């Protein structure tokens, strides 16, 4: 093995002579210009380590923060909300400029596909009941069990106890449970709730959990980190150290340190960089897909185990712009779609297009439609569950046809629904630089008995104990994984590791 590594490094060294003549050999390479990579860069810079380069595979910075314009409004293709206030680095950094705004969750409007025989208040009753069951389990159950298994058992028990004497309620409660179990995938992004662990190491930051950006969108946090906001004249020279469209496809590192560069990084366009330290920030999804070919030598077994066992799923946000608002315009809309058993069966015949499996079609993964705000003509369709990867592959035309089928089924009697004329979405799962949306604790990772995020965060060391290949990114945060604040904390953490070794 060692022979192979040496051979590879010799090969790389030869190519560096060719390629790096016009490159400054940086002492730190940061892979990825998402929030963790930018946070690491700013911390290094502010502590006097200025000899670094950020290699970013995409043609933009921000990673899973992706605020962009759609029909004259800012939409968030990625992160949208700051979750919590206390001990939340995003809140701490941004709140001083008065650009954050906690908001109330808009009232859910549960819609039933079979528009007759529906008592909407019953769905609220069920929502509260199932939330209570979930909260109880979350706070009291320590056994390794999936959220899906726990909820199916306990909610079905509760349904039987409460509604056994009312045939119609019994049926609708079972249908609502099917909705609820897919609906919850939106929060943690697993393709199935049967993969998500009920007990978690995750710690919520106290305070409002729904905080939006008053202007500029989530990308404001990158400007704040780089000191471009509030005063652009004071910005740190971080962006000039970012190389876009530089996809790293090989990371070779030497275990035996001999005071020269320890790490060689190759990009898919043939450049090779050498560095003393590397901070790796791409997503767990990228690691799952590439670690075997990316690292020379291979990553240690415990890290590979953590990569395999931790969960990384995807949700899909589809922004659609309607020429005119056909929904009640006084309020924001928040329609949630609950299917009756008969309509699920009918759907297979009425709309047989797109992916389906065991009598379930992708339309069941379109869970809700929410307006951006009360004055907007843009609404977001939220999709979660097993079909998300396949929904990403559908044409815009088919997605709109599917949404129109759903809207007419649920709301056609009440409103004169017009066809949207523009659609915007980002395929997070398809994109090889993300491979999904955010990480979660799976049942399998929980069975390991210790935080697998912490294992993922462990640096690779040289034989004399120097930390040289460092891991940041949301999935390496043991208590705030899956969030932007969690990602930023890990960038700071790994930059600090380098700063500490230099003192
Ligand atoms: C749809 C969606 C909604 C979300 N909603 C919220 C929310 O409301 N609130 C919240 O707190 N969080 C939310 N998140 C999660 C949050 O966006 C992420 O946790 C956070 O952005 C992760 O930051 P990161 O730096 O760890 O990784 P990333 O943002 O993924 O950054 C890693 C960077 O590495 C780059 N990269 C990948 N592979 C390579 C390679 N081979 N070579 C070079 N560069 C590479 C990527 O292009 C990327 O820019 C959401 C995410 C998504 C996708």
């Amino acid at each position: 093995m060692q022979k192979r590594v040496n051979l590879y490094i010799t090969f790389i060294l030869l190519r560096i002579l060719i390629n790096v003549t016009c490159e400054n050999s940086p002492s730190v390479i940061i892979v990825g210009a998402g929030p963790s990579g930018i946070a690491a860069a700013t911390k290094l810079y502010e502590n006097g380590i200025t000899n670094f380069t950020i290699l970013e595979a995409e043609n933009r910075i921000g990673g899973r923060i992706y605020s962009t314009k759609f029909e004259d409004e800012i939409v968030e293709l990625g992160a949208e909300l700051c979750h919590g206030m206390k001990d939340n680095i995003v809140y701490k950094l941004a709140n001083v400029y008065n650009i954050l705004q906690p908001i109330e969750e808009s009232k859910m409007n549960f819609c039933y596909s079979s528009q007759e025989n529906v008592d909407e208040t019953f769905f609220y009753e069920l929502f509260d009941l199932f939330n209570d069951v979930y909260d109880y389990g979350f706070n009291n159950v320590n056994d390794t069990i999936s959220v899906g298994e726990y909820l199916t058992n306990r909610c079905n028990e509760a349904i039987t106890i409460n509604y056994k004497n009312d045939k119609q309620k019994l049926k609708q409660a079972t249908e609502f449970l099917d909705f609820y179990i897919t609906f919850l995938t939106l929060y943690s992004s697993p393709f199935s709730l049967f993969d998500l662990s009920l007990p978690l190491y995750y710690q919520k930051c106290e305070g409002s959990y729904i905080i939006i950006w008053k202007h500029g969108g989530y990308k404001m946090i990158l400007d704040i980190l780089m000191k471009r906001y509030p005063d652009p004249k004071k910005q740190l020279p971080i962006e000039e150290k970012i190389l876009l469209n530089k996809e790293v496809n090989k990371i070779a590192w030497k275990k035996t340190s001999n005071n020269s560069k320890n790490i060689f990084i190759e990009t898919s366009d043939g450049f090779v960089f050498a560095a003393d330290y590397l901070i790796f920030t791409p997503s767990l999804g990228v690691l799952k897909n590439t670690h075997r070919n990316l690292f020379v030598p291979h990553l240690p077994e415990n890290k590979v185990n953590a990569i395999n066992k931790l969960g990384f799923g995807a949700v899909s946000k589809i922004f659609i712009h309607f020429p005119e608002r056909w929904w009640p315009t006084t309020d924001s809309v928040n329609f949630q779609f609950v299917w009756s058993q008969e309509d699920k069966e009918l759907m297979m015949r009425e709309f047989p297009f797109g992916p389906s499996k065991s009598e379930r079609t992708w339309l069941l993964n379109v869970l809700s439609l929410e307006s951006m705000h009360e004055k907007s003509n843009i609404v977001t369709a939220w999709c979660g569950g097993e079909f998300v990867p396949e929904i990403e592959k559908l044409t815009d035309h088919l997605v709109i046809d599917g949404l129109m089928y759903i809207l007419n089924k649920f709301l056609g009697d009440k409103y004169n629904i017009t066809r949207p004329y523009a659609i915007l979405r980002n395929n997070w799962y398809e994109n090889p630089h993300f491979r999904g949306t955010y990480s979660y604790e799976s049942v399998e990772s929980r069975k390991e008995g210790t935080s697998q995020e912490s294992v993922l965060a462990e640096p690779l060391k040289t034989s004399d104990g120097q930390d040289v290949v460092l891991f940041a990114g949301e999935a390496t945060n043991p208590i705030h994984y899956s969030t932007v604040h969690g990602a930023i904390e890990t960038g700071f953490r790994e930059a600090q590791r380098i700063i500490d070794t230099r003192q």
Side-chain angles (χ1 to χ4, degrees):
M1 176 59 147
Q2 190 54 39
K3 217 168 162 189
R4 260 184 57 201
V5 173
N6 288 342
L7 255 171
Y8 186 79
I9 288 173
T10 314
F11 166 72
I12 292 283
L13 278 170
L14 284 171
R15 298 191 46 199
I16 291 174
L17 291 177
I18 301 161
N19 281 323
V20 165
T21 41
C22 56
E23 301 284 332
N24 276 337
S25 287
S27 69
V28 184
I29 288 280
I30 299 171
V31 184
S36 60
I38 303 259
T42 55
K43 180 128 195 147
L44 288 175
Y45 191 88
E46 287 180 315
N47 284 275
I49 300 178
T50 58
N51 190 15
F52 61 82
T53 298
I54 308 180
L55 303 177
E56 167 54 54
E58 293 276 305
N59 61 3
R60 59 173 184 90
I61 68 163
R64 283 170 275 167
I65 292 180
Y66 195 172
S67 319
T68 190
K69 267 214 163 155
F70 177 49
E71 303 292 324
D72 283 341
E73 288 200 52
I74 297 250
V75 296
E76 302 285 9
L77 290 168
E80 188 162 347
L81 306 170
C82 167
H83 293 309
M85 298 167 163
K86 190 163 178 272
D87 298 327
N88 182 321
I89 187 72
V90 170
Y91 188 78
K92 188 174 164 198
L93 290 171
N95 191 45
V96 284
Y97 304 116
N98 193 23
I99 51 175
L100 291 175
Q101 183 171 8
I103 54 164
E104 291 287 310
E105 195 162 4
S106 62
K107 191 171 180 277
M108 288 174 161
N109 183 348
F110 294 111
C111 311
Y112 190 46
S113 61
S114 161
Q115 292 179 25
E116 69 274 13
N117 295 331
V118 59
D119 167 11
E120 277 174 10
T121 56
F122 179 51
F123 287 140
Y124 292 103
E125 180 183 315
L126 288 170
F127 193 63
D128 289 344
L129 175 69
F130 295 167
N131 278 345
D132 287 348
V133 172
Y134 188 12
D135 286 348
Y136 178 84
F138 185 69
N139 293 318
N140 296 289
V141 175
N142 288 318
D143 304 342
T144 306
I145 181 174
S146 75
V147 177
E149 187 182 345
Y150 169 81
L151 282 179
T152 310
N153 294 341
R154 290 302 170 86
C155 291
N156 273 323
E157 276 167 29
I159 290 171
T160 314
I161 292 166
N162 287 311
Y163 310 113
K164 62 175 178 290
N165 298 324
D166 184 331
K167 227 170 145 191
Q168 177 158 309
K169 283 195 166 170
L170 196 65
K171 173 178 176 293
Q172 287 182 345
T174 311
E175 291 163 345
F176 189 82
L177 181 57
D178 190 33
F179 158 82
Y180 184 75
I181 282 185
T182 316
F183 167 81
L184 288 184
T185 59
L186 291 178
Y187 291 96
S188 313
S189 89
F191 297 126
S192 162
L193 230 49
F194 288 83
D195 192 37
L196 177 68
S197 172
L198 179 62
L200 300 175
Y201 294 112
Y202 185 84
Q203 288 175 19
K204 263 187 160 184
C205 297
E206 283 171 28
S208 170
Y209 218 62
I210 311 182
I211 304 173
I212 57 167
W213 296 79
K214 286 184 188 166
H215 58 86
Y218 219 131
K219 71 171 167 28
M220 291 295 286
I221 194 66
L222 305 172
D223 291 345
I224 292 171
L225 282 167
M226 296 188 285
K227 308 262 186 294
R228 192 160 58 184
Y229 185 85
D231 182 357
K233 281 193 233 103
K234 293 195 177 145
Q235 75 172 298
L236 306 176
I238 303 294
E239 271 191 290
E240 62 203 52
K241 291 171 179 289
I242 301 175
L243 301 180
L244 297 176
N245 300 311
K246 282 273 176 283
E247 182 194 61
V248 171
N249 63 8
K250 200 64 85 189
I251 295 168
W253 63 287
K254 291 189 282 180
K255 272 199 172 143
T256 327
S257 170
N258 58 1
N259 288 333
S260 65
K261 305 286 178 209
N262 286 316
I263 307 155
F264 303 95
I265 300 113
E266 190 183 51
T267 56
S268 52
D269 55 358
F271 282 80
V272 178
F273 299 79
D276 298 317
Y277 301 99
L278 174 127
I279 302 181
F280 185 86
T281 76
S283 73
L284 175 61
V286 171
L287 274 174
K288 279 181 186 284
N289 275 273
T290 62
H291 76 86
R292 226 163 271 289
N293 295 324
L294 189 61
F295 290 92
V296 181
H298 289 325
L299 294 176
E301 228 167 82
N302 64 340
K303 202 181 277 290
V304 171
N305 187 48
I307 291 170
N308 290 337
K309 294 205 165 151
L310 282 168
F312 198 73
V315 299
S316 189
K317 275 198 233 182
I318 303 172
F319 294 92
I320 35 185
H321 186 269
F322 286 93
E324 54 208 46
R325 274 176 278 164
W326 47 261
W327 55 88
T329 49
T330 44
D331 255 334
S332 316
V333 295
N334 187 339
F335 298 120
Q336 309 285 328
F337 305 122
V338 185
W339 290 89
S340 73
Q341 187 52 38
E342 298 76 21
D343 282 322
K344 270 186 219 163
E345 286 158 21
L346 207 59
M347 177 201 297
M348 299 291 288
R349 274 175 276 135
E350 287 182 345
F351 195 89
F353 315 106
S356 63
K357 202 160 71 191
S358 325
E359 301 297 300
R360 293 176 73 81
T361 93
W362 67 278
L363 298 180
L364 290 174
N365 282 184
V366 181
L367 294 153
S368 63
L369 198 74
E370 297 176 22
S371 65
M372 300 248 302
H373 51 82
E374 60 270 33
K375 293 199 181 85
S376 179
N377 280 26
I378 298 175
V379 292
T380 316
W382 284 91
C383 310
E386 61 186 317
F387 290 110
V388 168
E390 295 180 70
I391 293 175
E392 287 192 356
K393 290 188 198 143
L394 298 178
T395 61
D396 285 352
H397 193 83
L398 185 53
V399 170
I400 293 178
D401 283 349
L403 294 175
M404 287 305 288
Y405 172 79
I406 295 174
L407 289 174
N408 282 316
K409 179 69 123 189
F410 283 86
L411 301 161
D413 282 5
K414 285 191 190 150
Y415 307 109
N416 185 13
I417 299 160
T418 49
R419 195 175 165 90
Y421 71 69
I423 177 168
L424 182 71
R425 57 202 171 123
N426 194 47
N427 293 340
W428 293 105
Y429 183 81
E430 275 278 287
N431 188 326
H433 305 140
F434 300 98
R435 287 280 176 215
T437 48
Y438 29 90
S439 67
Y440 62 90
E441 271 179 72
S442 69
V443 174
E444 286 306 308
S445 66
R446 187 74 194 185
K447 279 186 191 158
E448 293 296 303
T450 54
S451 154
Q452 293 304 290
E453 289 83 1
S454 301
V455 176
L456 198 59
E458 283 167 16
L460 305 179
K461 291 177 191 295
T462 54
S463 47
D464 59 355
Q466 262 194 71
D467 298 329
V468 283
V469 179
L470 315 177
F471 291 84
E474 56 86 7
T476 69
N477 194 315
I479 57 169
H480 292 152
Y481 56 82
S482 81
T483 63
V484 176
H485 57 276
I488 291 174
E489 283 173 351
T490 65
F492 286 161
R493 179 191 69 205
E494 296 311 316
Q496 190 62 49
R497 209 187 287 273
I498 296 175
I499 295 159
D500 289 347
T501 59
R502 295 265 156 148
Q503 280 162 358

